[in-house]
Amino acid sequence: MRFFCARCCNFGSEMPAVQVLLLACLVWDVGARTAQLRKANDRSGRCQYTFSVASPNESSCPEQSQAMSVIHNLQKDSSTQRLDLEATKARLSSLESLLHHQLTLDRAARPQETQEGLQRELGTLRRERDQLETQTRELETAYSNLLRDKSVLEEEKKRLRQENENLARRLESSSQEVARLRRGQCPQIRDTARDVPPGSREVSTWNLDTLAFQELKSELTEVPASRILKESPSGHLRSREGDNGCGELVWVGEPLTLRTAETITGKYGVWMRDPKPAYPYTQETTWRIDTVGTDVRQVFEYDLISQFMQGYPSKVHILPRALESTGAVVYSGSLYFQGAESRTVVRYELNTETVKAEKEIPGAGYHGQFPYSWGGYTDIDLAVDESGLWVIYSTNEAKGAIVLSKLNPENLELEQTWETNIRKQSVANAFIICGTLYTVSSYSSADAAVNFAYDTGTGISKTLTIPFKNRYKYSSMIDYNPLEKKLFAWDNLNMVTYDIKLSKM
């Protein structure tokens, strides 16, 4: 329907505002272009809505009966829509009730099963907690026992050391007393042959009644030449001290396993004996470091080889700073090691448990820049031979080739340096014998080889093919002990030694 004239329609408060709005929308929808809706109080104070629409086509307004017809139609449509809305609301309420009922049924059907599963999980967690608490208590008890045993052993060690010193003093005093008594009891020898008549004998002037009399007897015994050589604690022959026995490496024997680490922290590590022992240490004193971990500080000390083989340390050192890699050595009573994540070499005196010197190796790679082929942050590797202390490393200037430096063992100053043509990351490990650097081809191959040698005396390197056995297929440390003439190695949890043969110079 379209209005044919501009007209104002006034509705009292009896007509709902919704109907007025519906009427406005309907009129607008049927073609009106301008419309106004106004709400105001009339003179009597009642609310009055005024809606004005200008007809685009009609010049005059239709009869009032036609307008009322439109209004009645609008009211009828509004009632129909209200009924539809109420029906829709009723359907939504019904659906919500059905959904709530279904959810209630689902919850009622599964609570027992869910509760049982939760109870099982709770029981499992409680059992695991109890087991962990039990293990913690057992570990704490074991640790306390170890600390107590350690204290007892250290006290026993001090007591035995004091007894040894007392015995040594008493022995020295007794020796002096015996010598004095011998001098007092020995008769003056004189030539009496001419004074003894024929057929008679001279009476001995020895006083046989004194308790200090001792019969002295001398024997001449034939001893094989091999017995003159000292035996090492492991029962193998060792060269005499003072005889460096230098030569070129020509043979490496089969590995002899002395000890196996108990836990994964011993997957790789370093163990050694001092080739130049200083008091109170001996040729048997052994040190061991498990190097798996990020804060390696423990150094296990064993007074006897039997203690080392059985796993009973006599002392545990706690280093003042963490070490890195498997390149540590013991020389002349001090432990030399690379400080963690640095190019610094540290000298730690074992007897006094103090750091005596620290020195940065100029330009040396560290923490994975130039390691051996097996990795393990083995950028800086310390070594000992007949002439003293060495350090094996590489630099950016050397482009990854092995660099050797001779170190002063007191202050760690570099005394002399050599640059080789052997790429450090292409070899598994290295050691020094009689001033010559030797490298091993593989850390994991069962049948590896000593494949290169560099002579610091001539500056010449050469290739070698000396068989080398990695019995456990993960050699992380190989060092030479010039006193025992052996190679010490750490092969996949196992601490082993190799006999070697050197050609004569």
Side-chain angles (χ1 to χ4, degrees):
M1 174 180 181
R2 298 181 184 272
F3 289 101
F4 295 98
C5 65
R7 183 173 183 178
C8 267
C9 301
N10 296 329
F11 306 95
S13 59
E14 292 83 4
M15 176 175 282
V18 174
Q19 293 181 2
V20 175
L21 291 173
L22 289 171
L23 177 61
C25 293
L26 177 64
V27 172
W28 181 264
D29 183 65
V30 295
R33 289 297 177 265
T34 59
Q36 292 181 350
L37 177 65
R38 224 165 23 120
K39 182 176 77 169
N41 293 330
D42 61 7
R43 291 179 181 178
S44 62
R46 298 180 63 187
C47 179
Q48 188 177 53
Y49 293 89
T50 304
F51 181 74
S52 301
V53 179
S55 172
N57 300 321
E58 297 174 331
S59 58
S60 62
C61 293
E63 293 296 329
Q64 186 176 2
S65 60
Q66 293 178 344
M68 293 304 296
S69 175
V70 171
I71 291 171
H72 288 315
N73 290 335
L74 288 172
Q75 289 176 341
K76 193 181 297 181
D77 292 339
S78 174
S79 299
T80 301
Q81 290 175 357
R82 188 180 293 109
L83 291 174
D84 291 340
L85 180 61
E86 293 298 328
T88 302
K89 286 182 178 179
R91 286 197 298 273
L92 285 174
S93 299
S94 176
L95 287 173
E96 287 177 350
S97 299
L98 288 173
L99 179 61
H100 178 72
H101 181 65
Q102 185 63 36
L103 290 174
T104 304
L105 291 176
D106 289 344
R107 290 194 190 98
R110 291 182 297 179
Q112 186 66 26
E113 177 182 353
T114 304
Q115 186 174 6
E116 291 176 356
L118 290 173
Q119 288 293 338
R120 285 195 298 272
E121 292 179 1
L122 182 59
T124 302
L125 290 173
R126 285 174 175 169
R127 285 193 299 274
E128 291 178 353
R129 182 197 64 188
D130 294 339
Q131 291 175 357
L132 288 173
E133 288 177 349
T134 301
Q135 292 176 359
T136 301
R137 287 193 296 270
E138 291 174 352
L139 287 172
E140 288 175 348
T141 302
Y143 182 70
S144 299
N145 292 337
L146 285 174
L147 289 177
R148 186 171 59 253
D149 294 342
K150 176 188 173 185
S151 299
V152 171
L153 288 172
E154 286 182 346
E155 290 296 325
E156 182 68 13
K157 177 184 173 183
K158 291 179 182 177
R159 185 183 66 79
L160 291 174
R161 184 175 292 169
Q162 185 64 39
E163 289 182 0
N164 287 338
E165 292 175 356
N166 293 338
L167 287 173
R169 286 195 294 269
R170 289 167 58 188
L171 181 60
E172 183 179 0
S173 176
S174 298
S175 299
Q176 293 174 354
E177 182 65 16
V178 168
R180 187 186 64 78
L181 290 173
R182 284 176 180 171
R183 287 195 300 270
Q185 292 297 327
C186 288
Q188 296 295 324
I189 299 176
R190 53 193 178 89
D191 187 7
T192 58
R194 290 171 298 180
D195 301 329
V196 178
S200 63
R201 62 183 179 87
E202 180 183 10
V203 178
S204 172
T205 59
W206 287 93
N207 184 1
L208 301 180
D209 295 330
T210 178
L211 295 177
F213 171 77
Q214 294 183 5
E215 180 180 356
L216 304 178
K217 184 177 180 181
S218 172
E219 288 185 339
L220 178 63
T221 305
E222 183 178 356
V223 180
S226 60
R227 291 284 301 278
I228 299 175
L229 299 177
K230 291 185 177 181
E231 290 190 353
S232 67
S234 58
H236 298 283
L237 297 181
R238 176 192 294 166
S239 298
R240 293 192 302 270
E241 293 183 45
D243 175 17
N244 62 18
C246 269
E248 294 182 359
L249 180 67
V250 294
W251 174 83
V252 178
E254 293 285 334
L256 173 65
T257 305
L258 299 183
R259 178 101 180 92
T260 301
E262 303 85 358
T263 65
I264 192 61
T265 57
K267 170 72 174 179
Y268 46 85
V270 56
W271 72 285
M272 52 264 175
R273 297 188 192 122
D274 194 340
K276 189 179 178 183
Y279 181 82
Y281 305 114
T282 68
Q283 297 175 6
E284 279 198 72
T285 309
T286 306
W287 291 269
R288 162 189 167 181
I289 307 171
D290 298 340
T291 59
V292 175
T294 56
D295 189 40
V296 180
R297 293 175 183 266
Q298 287 188 334
V299 181
F300 298 95
E301 181 181 297
Y302 306 85
D303 287 340
L304 303 173
I305 290 179
S306 58
Q307 293 176 344
F308 168 68
M309 297 176 70
Q310 295 169 8
Y312 300 133
S314 53
K315 185 174 184 179
V316 180
H317 297 266
I318 304 298
L319 298 177
R321 65 177 294 180
L323 63 77
E324 190 163 85
S325 86
T326 59
V329 296
V330 172
Y331 181 69
S332 193
S334 292
L335 172 71
Y336 298 85
F337 65 91
Q338 174 197 354
E341 298 187 31
S342 74
R343 57 172 59 94
T344 301
V345 173
V346 181
R347 177 194 169 202
Y348 173 82
E349 191 172 65
L350 292 160
N351 187 31
T352 61
E353 301 183 18
T354 56
V355 172
K356 291 295 185 180
E358 294 186 18
K359 178 70 176 179
E360 276 199 356
I361 307 301
Y366 65 95
H367 204 63
Q369 288 181 282
F370 301 111
Y372 291 125
S373 61
W374 74 272
Y377 301 134
T378 50
D379 303 75
I380 295 177
D381 187 14
L382 292 149
V384 175
D385 76 343
E386 289 77 2
S387 64
L389 183 64
W390 299 77
V391 60
I392 304 168
Y393 58 102
S394 187
T395 64
N396 287 324
E397 291 76 10
K399 299 180 181 179
I402 290 179
V403 178
L404 290 174
S405 290
K406 190 76 185 303
L407 295 180
N408 183 308
E410 294 294 324
N411 54 25
L412 300 177
E413 293 292 332
L414 275 64
E415 297 179 343
Q416 193 172 352
T417 298
W418 295 261
E419 184 177 319
T420 74
N421 58 355
I422 304 168
R423 187 170 175 270
K424 192 166 186 288
Q425 290 179 282
S426 69
V427 297
N429 225 303
F431 52 91
I432 299 175
I433 300 177
C434 299
T436 297
L437 172 79
Y438 295 92
T439 64
V440 178
S441 61
S442 173
Y443 66 92
S444 58
S445 173
D447 297 310
V450 178
N451 58 344
F452 288 108
Y454 177 85
D455 188 344
T456 58
T458 63
I460 297 174
S461 62
K462 63 180 179 180
T463 58
L464 301 173
T465 55
I466 301 172
F468 185 92
K469 299 289 185 180
N470 292 309
R471 176 172 291 170
Y472 303 101
K473 299 183 180 180
Y474 204 99
S475 291
S476 57
M477 160 253 170
I478 304 173
D479 279 338
Y480 171 63
N481 186 303
L483 181 61
E484 299 190 36
K485 302 294 183 188
K486 293 179 184 294
L487 296 180
F488 286 29
W490 194 298
D491 188 359
N492 199 7
L493 299 164
N494 295 278
M495 285 142 268
V496 302
T497 61
Y498 296 83
D499 286 330
I500 62 171
K501 287 181 181 179
L502 304 177
S503 67
K504 293 182 179 180
M505 295 296 286

